[in-house]
Amino acid sequence: MGLDSFDQSEDGRSSNTENKTTSEDQKYKQKPWLKEQIQVKGLSQNDVADIAGVSRSTIQYYKEKFDINTHKDNQKNKSVSLSQEHIDIIEGELLGDASLHRVDSCGNAKLQSTDKHTEYIEWLRSLLPDDMFTDQYVFDVNNGANMLVSRNTVELDSLLDKWYEDEKSVPSSFSLNSTNLLHWYMCDGTLSTEEHPILDMRWTGRGEAKLLSDMIEHLGIDVNLNEFERESGKYWRIYVKAGSVTDFFEVIGDCPIQCYSYKWV
C-alpha cells in the first residue's frame, strides 16, 4: 500500500476512499488517536507505525497533515538506577527479539520488547525499575502481540552505544551468565521434539553465533552450532546436546511464568 493508500487526487483533495468511515485498524487516520500516541504517550513515529501496522512514512504523512508536533516535555532525559541484574535482564532480551531505539527529539534511547503473551510482558516489566516506565507501557500491535515500551533514559542510551554500531551486534565486553541466558531462552528459544533446548540467533553472523556458543560451553553446557534455513532466509541455531539438557536447565533455573512452561522439561 504505502503512500498510495492516502488516496489524494492531484489537486490535493481527498478521494472518496479517505472519506469513508475509518475502521478500527486505521486509527492512525484519526487526529485525536495519533496526537495521543505522539504527544501524550511520547512515542516515536516508528513506535506508532509498529502499533498501527503501517510504515513510518504513513505515520509521518498523517502527523504532518494534522499538524501534530512532537511533545518534548514527555521525552525529557530520564535517569534511572540500573543494577547489574537489570542490565543482565536487558542484555538477555537483546540477545532475543528486543531492541533499543534512540529518540531524536531527546537524544536518549528506549527499550522495546514484543511478545504474544501479556503475562510475559507484565513479568518483564516487574523485574525492571518502576521509574523506567510510564503508566502506559504496554501497546497492542496488529499481529496480536504486546509491545513493552520504556521511557527514554540516559542509561539505555549507554547500552545502545554498547550494543549497536550500524546494527545490533554482540559487544566485545559482553559476558554470558545464568540471568541473560534465561531471558535469551525465554525470548527466542524453544524445545525441540527430542526435548533439546534450542537458541535462535536471527540477527547475528556466524562469528557472533560461534562466540555465543563458546560462551554457553564455558558455562558447562555442550552445544552444536548449526545453520538453519527458512523462506525468510538463513540464520544460526544453537542446539543443546542430549547429555547437557539437565545442565542447561540447572543453569537457567525453573520457568518463572506459566505461559512458557512448555519450553522446560
Side-chain angles (χ1 to χ4, degrees), residues 134-146:
T134 64
D135 291 339
Q136 178 70 39
Y137 56 86
V138 180
F139 301 91
D140 294 330
V141 290
N142 273 13
N143 61 3
N146 304 284

Side-chain angles (χ1 to χ4, degrees), residues 224-236:
N224 285 322
L225 176 63
N226 295 314
E227 191 175 42
F228 189 76
E229 186 169 3
R230 283 184 172 174
E231 291 183 2
S232 56
K234 297 180 179 180
Y235 61 92
W236 294 94

Side-chain angles (χ1 to χ4, degrees), residues 9-197:
S9 60
E10 293 182 359
D11 62 0
R13 291 176 299 177
S14 299
S15 71
N16 289 336
T17 303
E18 189 166 344
N19 289 330
K20 294 178 180 179
T21 302
T22 305
S23 64
E24 181 64 20
D25 61 353
Q26 293 183 324
K27 294 181 290 188
Y28 60 89
K29 294 183 178 181
Q30 300 176 15
K31 182 175 181 178
W33 183 88
L34 189 59
K35 187 174 181 178
E36 179 184 11
Q37 310 311 303
I38 295 173
Q39 292 191 345
V40 178
K41 296 178 180 177
L43 298 180
S44 69
Q45 292 181 60
N46 284 330
D47 291 337
V48 180
D50 286 343
I51 293 169
V54 297
S55 66
R56 183 186 183 280
S57 60
T58 298
I59 298 302
Q60 182 177 2
Y61 171 86
Y62 283 99
K63 176 178 176 288
E64 293 175 356
K65 175 182 178 179
F66 297 141
D67 194 25
I68 299 173
N69 295 318
T70 301
H71 198 303
K72 295 186 179 181
D73 288 344
N74 283 317
Q75 299 187 11
K76 291 178 180 177
N77 293 356
K78 179 74 177 177
S79 180
V80 299
S81 178
L82 293 180
S83 67
Q84 185 57 52
E85 183 177 7
H86 293 144
I87 293 172
D88 288 340
I89 290 168
I90 294 169
E91 291 191 324
E93 295 289 320
L94 290 173
L95 287 173
D97 296 328
S99 57
L100 292 168
H101 301 276
R102 181 169 283 120
V103 180
D104 294 337
S105 59
C106 68
N108 288 148
K110 64 170 62 177
L111 173 69
Q112 188 171 298
S113 183
T114 304
D115 195 90
K116 61 183 178 181
H117 297 291
T118 304
E119 182 186 10
Y120 182 83
I121 293 295
E122 294 291 350
W123 172 74
L124 178 59
R125 162 68 181 83
S126 72
L127 299 176
L128 297 170
D130 286 342
D131 54 359
M132 192 170 155
F133 301 91
T134 64
D135 291 339
Q136 178 70 39
Y137 56 86
V138 180
F139 301 91
D140 294 330
V141 290
N142 273 13
N143 61 3
N146 304 284
M147 182 169 62
L148 175 71
V149 181
S150 77
R151 291 179 185 269
N152 316 307
T153 76
V154 175
E155 290 74 17
L156 290 178
D157 200 53
S158 298
L159 278 176
L160 185 146
D161 289 336
K162 177 181 176 181
W163 277 80
Y164 289 77
E165 292 181 2
D166 293 331
E167 297 179 343
K168 185 165 67 171
S169 60
V170 180
S172 59
S173 60
F174 175 73
S175 178
L176 192 68
N177 57 42
S178 59
T179 299
N180 49 40
L181 181 57
L182 167 66
H183 283 266
W184 179 13
Y185 182 62
M186 293 187 72
C187 189
D188 213 8
T190 189
L191 198 66
S192 73
T193 54
E194 296 81 16
E195 297 190 336
H196 294 192

